Amino acid sequence: MSQQGARRNTRGGGSAWALVITSVAGFMAALDNLVVTTALPSIREDLGGALHDLEWTVSAYTLTFAVLLMFGAALGDRFGRRRLFVVGITVFTAASAAAALAPGIDSLIAARAVQGVGAAIMMPLTLTLLTAAVPAERRGMAYGIWGAVNGLAVASGPLVGGSLTEHISWQWIFWLNVPLGLALLPLARLRLAESHGTGAPLDIPGTLLASGGLFGVVYGLVRGPVDGWTGSVVLTALFAGVALLVGFVLYSTRAKNPMLPMRLFRSRAFAGVNAASLLMFLGMFGSIFLLSQYMQGVLGYSPTEAGLRMLPWTGMPMLVAPIAGMLSDRIGGRPVVAAGLFLQAAGLGYLASVITADASYAIQLPGLIVSGIGMALYFAPASALVMSSVAAKEQGIASGANNALREVGGALGIAVMSSIFAAQGGYASAQTFVDGLRPAVAVGAAMVALGGVAALAVPARRRTGGQGPETAPNTDPAAEPVDEPAQEPVDEPALAPAAPTPRP
């Protein structure tokens, strides 16, 4: 699309369409992280398979999604973000249909892996396309809505999966994606403007090192609680993954056109918000994974009833996140993100202190509400901080890196908190479940609180001439000038470079 067409697209309501398209696409990708968990008993009854096979229906998606996120973002920067976004939706939708039609457990696992490939291509491009289409002064609210939808998808996966499985069939957790994907394809082609990144050639060595390293680490984390942390396969995967990631860092510091420039992490803003994201997802994912089982296995609720009772937590982003986005436009993202993380930690800490084998819902409710407000305050401003901490041409890979760290944090959270749960308790009785759950959730609360500390490391925001959204100073004297998205003209949605940020 030409620059002139892009201008018309923005003026003619293109930003609203971009928000709808990217939010729905992000919802589909985020939902499939946990949507299968409550459907596993029904899947086993229909397709058979051992417990190991059922776990892979969850893990196959997590692995390919986390491993290929940065590569998907790099492909979009190189060959066109809208073009690759459409490719990602197509792959994800086709794989969803294949999963619904799977005749056996092996074909279901394969379809889930392909789903993860499609999600890894489209998910990091949602933020870059949204940033390109929305005028700078409205990005806070747009990020708020985008973050609310994605947060709701992550947190409501068990509810959606349980409700569809209980009232229709488990196949509908996958069929749900098909009409959404088919509707998004023509809308993305017609309503989104094309944009590119740096135009640099693909970094093949960096891609192989990063993808191999992430695969090893995520595989080891996924299999650790099942196979044992001292198992040869788990240890080999973890050590090999860490070694490859170290090699990726060393290579990227010297490469001419690296997939992920290491100089980005010299920015306190970029490093701080990514550390906060990793720790937030570590604590949140692990807590939701265990608390949803607590409500069903200990308190006796059905999957639908458990999901409904978690709505004060999981549904809160839909109400609060848009407000959080507007707050971040006014006072800066750092205080909003930090406050959200500390509130999320406080809510989890409260739940860890009141959980018993027969706890009433009323006594849990304050913790659920506080956690929900905290989650909502985190999502929107965190996305804005990531996108504003790098040059416009590098926003695609920044989004991919942030999403990859979130996925690794989620996998780490489930692995670590499941291990604590197994060491301190178990499934033998309601009381042993609670004995394992309380220390696990307490650790989750501590991790999220550390994320709040990391968010405070983000530099204070400053106004650009007293108007418009706030921008962070470039604190790295060796880095290239950063083209702040907030300084882009409203009529340039194609991510044209803005003037370099002046040194403080």
Side-chain angles (χ1 to χ4, degrees):
M1 182 178 291
S2 68
Q3 204 172 60
Q4 217 173 22
R7 288 194 187 107
R8 288 194 299 269
N9 186 41
T10 299
R11 288 174 179 166
S15 59
W17 278 110
L19 179 58
V20 171
I21 294 166
T22 57
S23 294
V24 173
F27 180 88
M28 292 194 299
L31 182 72
D32 273 54
N33 271 299
L34 294 175
V35 73
V36 176
T37 54
T38 46
L40 290 179
S42 296
I43 292 174
R44 184 178 187 181
E45 184 178 338
D46 280 1
L47 302 182
L51 179 62
H52 172 82
D53 297 318
L54 293 177
E55 289 162 351
W56 272 109
T57 63
V58 179
S59 302
Y61 181 84
T62 302
L63 271 172
T64 53
F65 190 15
V67 165
L68 297 175
L69 272 164
M70 284 195 291
F71 184 52
L75 287 175
D77 285 350
R78 180 68 178 85
F79 298 109
R81 292 161 177 163
R82 183 187 64 182
R83 179 181 300 171
L84 265 294
F85 180 71
V86 170
V87 170
I89 294 174
T90 303
V91 172
F92 185 85
T93 303
S96 297
L101 296 170
I105 194 68
D106 291 335
S107 55
L108 176 60
I109 293 170
R112 287 284 288 165
V114 178
Q115 263 192 312
V117 174
I121 296 172
M122 71 177 181
M123 185 64 173
L125 299 177
T126 57
L127 271 179
T128 49
L129 290 166
L130 183 61
T131 301
V134 177
E137 67 272 12
R138 296 206 300 269
R139 284 188 189 135
M141 180 180 290
Y143 288 146
I145 296 171
W146 181 91
V149 173
N150 280 268
L152 179 65
V154 170
S156 64
L159 168 62
V160 174
S163 298
L164 290 174
T165 301
E166 185 178 341
H167 299 294
I168 308 179
S169 72
W170 65 262
Q171 285 88 348
W172 276 93
I173 65 179
F174 302 115
W175 282 126
L176 177 66
N177 294 322
V178 175
L180 293 175
L182 292 176
L184 287 181
L185 285 171
L187 289 175
R189 293 282 300 173
L190 295 173
R191 297 292 182 176
L192 295 178
E194 186 61 280
S195 64
H196 294 77
T198 62
L202 288 177
D203 178 14
I204 301 301
T207 298
L208 293 175
L209 287 169
S211 299
L214 286 173
F215 180 86
V217 170
V218 176
Y219 180 87
L221 294 175
V222 167
R223 301 307 308 165
V226 180
D227 298 338
W229 292 104
T230 58
S232 59
V233 174
V234 172
L235 287 177
T236 300
L238 290 173
F239 282 123
V242 170
L244 288 172
L245 289 177
V246 170
F248 171 69
V249 172
L250 295 175
Y251 163 81
S252 298
T253 59
R254 296 171 173 82
K256 183 179 179 181
N257 295 301
M259 180 175 68
L260 178 60
M262 288 298 110
R263 60 177 172 75
L264 295 180
F265 289 96
R266 299 175 194 166
S267 162
R268 284 168 52 202
F270 186 79
V273 71
N274 277 289
S277 296
L278 177 79
L279 292 165
M280 163 65 177
F281 271 66
L282 192 158
M284 181 192 71
F285 250 71
S287 298
I288 289 175
F289 181 74
L290 291 174
L291 286 170
S292 63
Q293 294 182 63
Y294 164 73
M295 287 193 168
Q296 295 177 62
V298 176
L299 300 183
Y301 299 123
S302 71
T304 304
E305 290 171 338
L308 289 173
R309 282 165 174 77
M310 291 185 75
L311 277 179
W313 181 9
T314 61
M316 194 64 70
M318 291 298 292
L319 300 176
V320 179
I323 300 173
M326 290 186 286
L327 274 177
S328 69
D329 281 344
R330 291 181 175 273
I331 65 174
R334 181 182 71 161
V336 181
V337 167
L341 291 170
F342 287 130
L343 282 173
Q344 175 81 89
L348 290 176
Y350 173 84
L351 287 171
S353 69
V354 302
I355 286 170
T356 63
D358 58 352
S360 68
Y361 181 64
I363 200 171
Q364 300 173 58
L365 189 58
L368 296 173
I369 293 174
V370 172
S371 294
I373 295 173
M375 180 193 294
L377 290 176
Y378 158 82
F379 271 113
S383 301
L385 285 175
V386 170
M387 300 304 280
S388 65
S389 66
V390 299
K393 63 184 179 182
E394 293 172 327
Q395 286 175 338
I397 197 60
S399 174
N402 183 255
N403 278 283
L405 287 170
R406 289 182 178 190
E407 289 300 310
V408 171
L412 181 63
I414 291 175
V416 169
M417 294 171 69
S418 295
S419 296
I420 296 170
F421 169 81
Q424 300 295 320
Y427 292 92
S429 67
Q431 187 56 51
T432 56
F433 192 100
V434 171
D435 290 341
L437 177 64
R438 296 182 73 168
V441 175
V443 169
M447 293 298 102
V448 177
L450 286 177
V453 175
L456 292 177
V458 174
R461 315 300 276 176
R462 61 181 175 81
R463 293 281 178 179
T464 57
Q467 294 181 352
E470 295 171 330
T471 57
N474 185 351
T475 58
D476 175 22
E480 297 175 4
V482 175
D483 298 331
E484 293 293 336
Q487 296 179 348
E488 294 175 344
V490 173
D491 291 335
E492 297 295 333
L495 293 177
T501 302
R503 304 289 183 184

